[in-house]
Amino acid sequence: MIIPEKISEILEDVITIRREIHRNPEIGFELPKTSALVKKELSAYGVDKIICAGKSSVVGTIRGKKGPGKCIGLRCDMDALPVLEETGLSFCSLTPGAMHACGHDLHTAMMLGIARTLCDMRDKFSGTVKVIFEAGEETQPGGAIGIIESGAVDDVDA
């Protein structure tokens, strides 16, 4: 299966996930629903290892089956903003005063789509890919520090 075919196959699922995340925005490091959804999906895809890294951040490890190689890290952000949504969308925020106005709902859904694609195609690549879901990106000092301090990305080459 080539990547465009896989994308076509999973597109509706990615859209559904994005809308679920958009409907249930969480701010800063308090992302229990979003983190749980990410872990549930990664587990369903067959990700080799899933860990919590820092407060509410998640890192999934996908190992290629063609042998050892470099470790590549792909990062997205998951947190929403303290903004009142007034879009009227059918999947608008159900949380008063919180909204995915910055696109992190889409970032998270796309990264889950990438993880699913990589899991389905792991027999076609060597090395490892870590999918990194950062909480608190909009909050200073940011969630990256907790991910780094956890050691979850110590082995990432690029």
Side-chain angles (χ1 to χ4, degrees), residues 66-115:
K66 289 189 88 170
K70 299 280 186 181
C71 180
I72 306 300
L74 303 174
R75 179 210 150 274
C76 71
D77 25 35
M78 304 187 292
D79 54 326
L81 292 169
V83 174
L84 177 64
E85 181 165 7
E86 297 177 335
T87 64
L89 293 169
S90 62
F91 54 90
C92 72
S93 172
L94 300 175
T95 306
M99 176 187 178
H100 276 289
C102 52
H104 293 183
D105 53 337
L106 184 55
H107 298 175
T108 302
M110 288 188 301
M111 187 66 80
L112 286 169
I114 290 166

Side-chain angles (χ1 to χ4, degrees), residues 10-11 14-15 45-46 68 72-73 88-89 93 111 137 145 151:
I10 68 171
L11 182 60
V14 171
I15 291 169
Y45 305 154
I72 306 300
L89 293 169
S93 172
M111 187 66 80
E137 190 270 341
I145 291 172

Side-chain angles (χ1 to χ4, degrees), residues 126-137:
S126 59
T128 302
V129 179
K130 290 198 173 188
V131 286
I132 304 159
F133 297 83
E134 181 185 348
E137 190 270 341

